[in-house]
Amino acid sequence: MSGERPDPEAERQRLQALLEQGRAEEIVREARRRLSVEPADAGWWWWLGRALEAGGRPAAARAAFGRAAFLDPRLPEGEAAAGPTPAWLEQLLAVPPHTVSACLIVRDEAEHIGRVLASLAGAVDEVVVADTGSRDDTPRLAARAGARVFHVPWQDDFSAARNAALERAGSEWVLWLDADETLDPRDRAGPRLAAGLFHERRPPAVVQVTVVNDLGSGPPEVHHDVARLFPLGRGLRFFGRAHEQVGPDPGGPLVGPVLRPAVRIRLHHDGYRPDVLQHRRKLERNIRLLELAVAEDPDDLLAWAFLGRERLLHGQPQAAVEALTRAEALAERTPAYGRLPELRTYLLSALLALGRREEAVEVGRRAVAAHPEYPPLWFGYGQALFLQALALAGAAGAAYREAVERSRRYQGLLPADPALGGWKGLLALGDVAKLQGDWTTAYTYYRQAAAEQPDAPGIAASLTHQRQQVEQLARLLAAEAAGDTPPADGA
């Protein structure tokens, strides 16, 4: 049917075939036509890069790949373009200029305010700082760094403070940061670039950026879907006492029509480090604010979801289950809510923390059926199944031990296999111990069973399997000691 988008896989195969046939210039012409109509199409920028690369124009290809990576942060960033690019490509890459204000709400952030403001140098046209009652030198330091500072009364409501700052912003677009964040220096051109690409969109675009959370140890936690950049004067504002979200007024973040493109603007955040959370008591504060929010509006899906997460992080799994269960019920009738897979992952974790394995297995089964593309749900479901299996293995071991003990003293009239108190029971207990990872105990049980019944089926096979596994492990350890890296599958 005319006007329908082509099937993505069929389109990919078509374009790949053109490349393989040496017809890269056809892709270049088609990409130029498409991008002149829709300059924010990451896919066509990527194919343009492929075609330019195949045509021996590496500098132009890198420029195209760079725009693709900006418009789709999941793509590899690649190298910055170096060398001349054709005039037509420069024209495609150009965007209309629009001004951007950076806005922050702060309180007692003297330690961080200089760092965040320095990271914004050259990236925005002004910085607006709303101070909610600092007792330290934050306002003076912000003003000295060039920010416009004003004071707003704290009302236990982050959205109220942010919306007050929006009224002071004087640019066409606004970029929001927290004081414990910094803009990645590689992305200083990003705010104005995104404003130019999305300024004329109707409905308005609430641009999602990437927040890289430094958790203090291990790899950072990366979120590509954090709404921080949007146009002013289009009826957009913040909603929610804590973990506030952007949406149209009237309507809200889950109702009104809003575009939500994601771009490669990285904000580095260290406020979730355990030492910072504990020092600043952020979880306690957020829980208090979110409890106020759900008391005011029992159908506030976002507040219930965030409340469940914060309670779980604060070591309150029972309260977390209650909040997350309520949020799940609300989310199931709210199609615009896009974080249901994540919510169910938290619910799984809370149930497992309470030892409610059967419920966790059922939640996991439903969740992976509804969201098969979300890896954390499969991992959580696997944890639930594994812990349930271990619990069942423990129960099986207890049942086998009862069978052995009762068989040895059984004097009833009904027939009972005497081997249950001997080799059969020992073999079964060995299987349970092996499943539980206690191979020494398993081997002991198997040897005892073999001593009683050397020719019994299963005993020799179990002993042989264990010996083979031990020999293979010994070879792997020897290879590791010699400096070799054995393959993950042990082959």
Side-chain angles (χ1 to χ4, degrees):
M1 183 182 297
S2 177
E4 287 188 349
R5 288 182 64 87
D7 174 67
E9 179 56 24
E11 185 80 337
R12 187 197 68 78
Q13 292 179 4
R14 179 181 72 85
L15 295 170
Q16 183 63 35
L18 289 175
L19 279 180
E20 292 171 357
Q21 294 164 15
R23 298 160 63 185
E25 280 304 312
E26 294 182 36
I27 298 177
V28 171
R29 289 194 294 271
E30 185 172 359
R32 290 177 63 177
R33 187 181 74 253
R34 301 270 190 134
L35 292 170
S36 66
V37 176
E38 176 46 272
D41 190 325
W44 273 107
W45 279 109
W46 188 82
W47 279 109
L48 177 59
R50 291 282 310 276
L52 290 169
E53 189 176 52
R57 290 178 275 183
R62 283 195 292 271
F65 284 139
R67 181 58 54 89
F70 177 76
L71 291 164
D72 186 347
R74 298 167 300 178
L75 293 174
E77 186 172 16
E79 300 177 5
T85 54
W88 64 262
L89 181 56
E90 294 290 346
Q91 186 176 358
L92 272 184
L93 289 165
V95 300
H98 293 283
T99 56
V100 180
S101 299
C103 285
L104 301 86
I105 56 173
V106 300
R107 181 178 181 178
D108 295 334
E109 295 288 357
E111 180 182 354
H112 300 114
I113 192 68
R115 182 185 65 173
V116 62
L117 296 183
S119 77
L120 292 167
V124 296
D125 297 278
E126 67 166 357
V127 179
V128 178
V129 172
D131 187 90
T132 62
S134 290
R135 293 161 294 183
D136 64 10
D137 215 15
T138 300
R140 187 185 66 82
L141 292 172
R144 191 171 70 182
R148 290 199 293 115
V149 182
F150 72 99
H151 300 277
V152 58
W154 177 243
Q155 303 170 17
D156 279 345
D157 189 325
F158 279 96
S159 286
R162 291 195 190 276
N163 291 330
L166 287 180
E167 296 177 2
R168 304 294 185 100
S171 298
E172 297 168 280
W173 280 67
V174 61
L175 171 68
W176 273 96
L177 290 88
D178 292 333
D180 52 7
E181 295 174 334
T182 56
L183 175 65
D184 192 301
R186 295 168 293 180
D187 300 333
R188 283 182 171 149
R192 292 192 183 100
L193 175 56
L197 285 166
F198 297 109
H199 187 73
E200 300 300 331
R201 299 305 169 105
R202 299 292 187 278
V206 176
V207 178
Q208 301 180 114
V209 307
T210 297
V211 173
V212 182
N213 289 308
D214 174 8
L215 303 180
S217 62
E221 181 183 76
V222 180
H223 294 262
H224 295 298
D225 59 346
V226 185
R228 293 293 190 87
L229 180 65
F230 55 92
L232 294 167
R234 304 280 181 86
L236 298 170
R237 71 176 182 88
F238 284 96
F239 294 81
R241 284 182 176 271
H243 292 298
E244 53 282 8
Q245 304 293 305
V246 181
D249 186 19
L254 298 178
V255 178
V258 168
L259 301 175
R260 295 188 181 273
V263 302
R264 189 184 297 273
I265 296 175
R266 287 158 289 195
L267 303 179
H268 296 273
H269 176 233
D270 59 13
Y272 285 164
R273 292 170 58 99
D275 55 326
V276 177
L277 284 174
Q278 183 175 2
H279 174 67
R280 309 204 70 167
R281 304 182 67 84
K282 288 187 175 183
L283 291 176
E284 294 93 327
R285 177 202 66 195
N286 290 346
I287 289 171
R288 180 178 63 82
L289 296 180
L290 291 164
E291 286 175 344
L292 286 173
V294 298
E296 292 168 344
D297 180 3
D299 290 330
D300 188 337
L301 162 58
L302 295 176
W304 280 114
F306 285 123
L307 178 59
R309 187 190 71 173
E310 303 295 81
R311 285 174 168 173
L312 178 62
L313 293 174
H314 198 43
Q316 302 172 351
Q318 179 58 49
V321 167
E322 295 167 4
L324 293 166
T325 301
R326 174 66 173 157
E328 183 184 34
L330 292 168
E332 286 174 343
R333 58 177 191 260
T334 310
Y337 181 67
R339 306 189 76 95
L340 186 53
E342 184 181 44
L343 186 155
R344 285 174 165 156
T345 302
Y346 288 128
L347 180 56
L348 264 171
S349 297
L351 289 169
L352 289 176
L354 293 168
R356 292 159 61 174
R357 294 178 295 272
E358 292 183 6
E359 292 175 72
V361 167
E362 177 56 25
V363 168
R365 184 193 63 77
R366 289 190 291 106
V368 298
H371 317 286
E373 74 290 346
Y374 192 56
L377 271 178
W378 284 104
F379 189 83
Y381 184 36
Q383 282 185 308
L385 289 169
F386 179 71
L387 292 173
Q388 180 75 337
L390 287 181
L392 290 172
Y400 285 145
R401 282 189 289 273
E402 283 291 320
V404 170
E405 294 302 321
R406 291 179 183 276
S407 177
R408 289 173 178 174
R409 60 177 185 267
Y410 182 67
Q411 296 181 354
L413 298 178
L414 296 176
D417 185 351
L420 298 179
W423 72 266
K424 280 188 178 181
L426 293 168
L427 177 61
L429 287 169
D431 289 341
V432 169
K434 184 169 69 173
L435 182 63
Q436 293 174 318
D438 187 352
W439 279 48
T440 301
T441 299
Y443 189 77
T444 301
Y445 278 131
Y446 291 150
R447 287 296 304 272
Q448 291 173 355
E452 287 197 16
Q453 193 75 19
D455 299 329
I459 298 177
S462 295
L463 283 168
T464 299
H465 178 259
Q466 271 204 301
R467 289 170 182 145
Q468 289 173 342
Q469 291 293 300
V470 170
E471 291 169 0
Q472 186 174 9
L473 178 60
R475 288 196 297 271
L476 292 173
L477 291 173
E480 183 178 349
D484 296 333
T485 302
D489 60 2

